Amino acid sequence: MVIGIIVVVVVVLLVLFLIFAYNGLVKARNRVDNAYSQIEVQQKRRYDLIPNLVETVKGYAAHERETLERVVQARNQAVSAQGPAAQGQAENVLTGALRQLFAVAEAYPDLKANQNFLNLQEELTSSEDRVAYARQFYNDTVLKYNNKIQTIPSNVIAGMFSFQEREYFEGEEEARTVPRVQF
């Protein structure tokens, strides 16, 4: 009788452990999905601002068509990219094109003084900060999730229910190199 009660208690504890471990993994996976959707929300805001910025610059720098076309093309590629790796790469191209656009704007004092341009530039900078924060939060969430599915004892549950690792948003290659300063 005592052995039967001990077996029941052990089985109940094991079932409770399995339930808590599984629910923890599901919650972690859902947090990763939510963090990724927040990146998409911030990127959409950024994508919506870019055509307005391009139109404003067009009025001042009509002969800079190639730069403007690169920005539009990079934006379209970023919008259609799927998954963190492809989206990260497309975002890096877009960031480079925007940097080039702002460099062109430096050559036009009237454009730099234009209130619409300044407002759009400020909004875009704000969007860049929000995207960077959302990416950082996503990567932090992916780290916690991946740790959870790789560590004992939850890795057993993760393996039983096919929880898969998630990939990180990768930074720009330029951001990894130390800038060289010369005087």
Side-chain angles (χ1 to χ4, degrees):
M1 171 107 167
V2 173
I3 293 176
I5 292 173
I6 292 173
V7 170
V8 169
V9 168
V10 169
V11 169
V12 167
L13 289 175
L14 186 60
V15 168
L16 286 175
F17 167 75
L18 290 173
I19 290 170
F20 285 120
Y22 179 81
N23 287 344
L25 289 169
V26 169
K27 288 176 185 177
R29 183 180 58 198
N30 291 343
R31 280 192 293 273
V32 169
D33 292 341
N34 179 55
Y36 188 75
S37 71
Q38 293 304 316
I39 292 173
E40 291 176 334
V41 165
Q42 296 307 324
Q43 287 174 334
K44 173 145 180 30
R45 181 177 187 271
R46 179 186 190 207
Y47 301 152
D48 291 346
L49 288 170
I50 290 172
N52 295 331
L53 184 69
V54 168
E55 287 302 315
T56 303
V57 174
K58 268 185 187 176
Y60 285 88
H63 62 284
E64 301 288 353
R65 201 170 119 206
E66 184 180 322
T67 301
L68 297 171
E69 287 174 357
R70 256 188 253 134
V71 170
V72 170
Q73 181 181 16
R75 176 199 177 267
N76 292 340
Q77 288 175 347
V79 167
S80 63
Q82 299 294 316
Q87 204 166 27
Q89 186 177 11
E91 286 292 317
N92 293 339
V93 171
L94 177 58
T95 299
L98 286 171
R99 283 186 189 138
Q100 194 172 17
L101 178 65
F102 288 131
V104 165
E106 290 292 318
Y108 297 91
D110 291 343
L111 175 59
K112 285 184 2 184
N114 179 287
Q115 194 60 45
N116 286 341
F117 178 77
L118 293 174
N119 289 343
L120 287 167
Q121 189 175 21
E122 187 176 316
E123 283 291 319
L124 197 56
T125 301
S126 172
S127 290
E128 294 290 332
D129 292 343
R130 290 176 184 188
V131 167
Y133 174 78
R135 286 179 182 171
Q136 178 186 354
F137 181 74
Y138 172 80
N139 283 344
D140 290 345
T141 306
V142 167
L143 175 67
K144 289 175 188 172
Y145 172 76
N146 286 347
N147 283 343
K148 198 167 208 162
I149 66 171
Q150 293 172 3
T151 56
I152 295 173
S154 57
N155 66 337
V156 175
I157 309 301
M160 287 172 42
F161 293 100
S162 301
F163 283 85
Q164 301 294 318
E165 282 187 41
R166 296 294 180 94
E167 56 186 288
Y168 294 96
F169 245 102
E170 297 293 327
E172 300 174 51
E173 199 59 39
E174 298 165 357
R176 294 180 187 169
T177 59
V178 177
R180 188 170 176 214
V181 179
Q182 278 186 307
F183 293 103

